Amino acid sequence: MTSAAQRKLRPKPWEAAGFQNLLRACLSHDGADEGPVATFEESGCTHSRYGLRLTLPTGVQVYLQIVAGQPPDERRPAQGAPPLRQRSAPLPTTGSTALAAVELHLIDALTARQDPLVQAVTPLSSSNGSIPYGLRVAFHSGAYVFCYVALLVPAGWTRPLGGLFPELSHV
């Protein structure tokens, strides 16, 4: 198979599978052990087809469901200026973690990449929508993807806390 054919088969970052790959790469940017990040499939989560399980430094597991929101508009350019880099404080290693801090951690990881396909990354907590935590990622092409905090499993627990799309502010 030619490299051009392989590029066509590779999922685009505005598709759920492609965004899953992009976010995983951003969260594993330092080349360290990928233990803290696993796909839903790898972690045995059957809630959704696409998503990542992020294990925080405190041991809390945050399940991030990935949903494609809108396909690209072929009339718009695919690339442009990347979003401004947004840095966040390190996640705490003890005690509780604010879900807004998890959002900022994800934004930091995505904007550090300086991807020319990505136009903006917005935390859902600032939009007062029906799903309280996660991200909306807009692409220059007009496409966008949502990354929802779907489940939270505290350190040492085997069951989620707060139900599906929890409204808890700290975990």
Side-chain angles (χ1 to χ4, degrees):
M1 183 180 295
T2 67
S3 62
Q6 288 173 330
R7 281 193 299 271
K8 283 187 175 187
L9 293 176
R10 194 174 311 143
K12 309 293 187 269
W14 48 81
E15 297 170 350
F19 187 76
Q20 176 180 276
N21 295 341
L22 171 67
L23 184 57
R24 184 178 194 169
C26 290
L27 292 169
S28 303
H29 64 83
D30 57 7
D33 178 12
E34 292 186 18
V37 182
T39 66
F40 276 9
E41 182 179 17
E42 293 166 345
S43 62
C45 179
T46 58
H47 169 71
S48 179
R49 185 171 179 190
Y50 298 107
L52 296 174
R53 182 195 67 205
L54 175 63
T55 302
L56 304 183
T58 58
V60 170
Q61 295 178 343
V62 178
Y63 286 80
L64 305 166
Q65 180 180 348
I66 298 169
V67 178
Q70 177 173 302
D73 178 346
E74 299 298 327
R75 298 169 294 182
R76 293 181 60 172
Q79 296 188 17
L84 292 176
R85 172 79 195 267
Q86 297 182 41
R87 298 181 190 275
S88 67
L91 292 171
T93 57
T94 60
S96 66
T97 302
L99 289 180
V102 174
E103 286 178 322
L104 293 175
H105 175 72
L106 296 171
I107 291 170
D108 183 345
L110 281 166
T111 60
R113 186 178 179 97
Q114 291 294 282
D115 191 321
L117 297 174
V118 177
Q119 182 179 31
V121 184
T122 309
L124 293 182
S125 62
S126 67
S127 66
N128 202 18
S130 60
I131 297 179
Y133 296 99
L135 303 177
R136 180 181 190 272
V137 181
F139 294 87
H140 287 285
S141 66
Y144 59 86
V145 170
F146 291 102
C147 176
Y148 302 127
V149 172
L151 297 166
L152 299 169
V153 180
W157 288 37
T158 57
R159 303 184 85 180
L161 174 68
L164 191 59
F165 307 115
E167 294 189 31
L168 306 168
S169 62
H170 288 76
V171 66

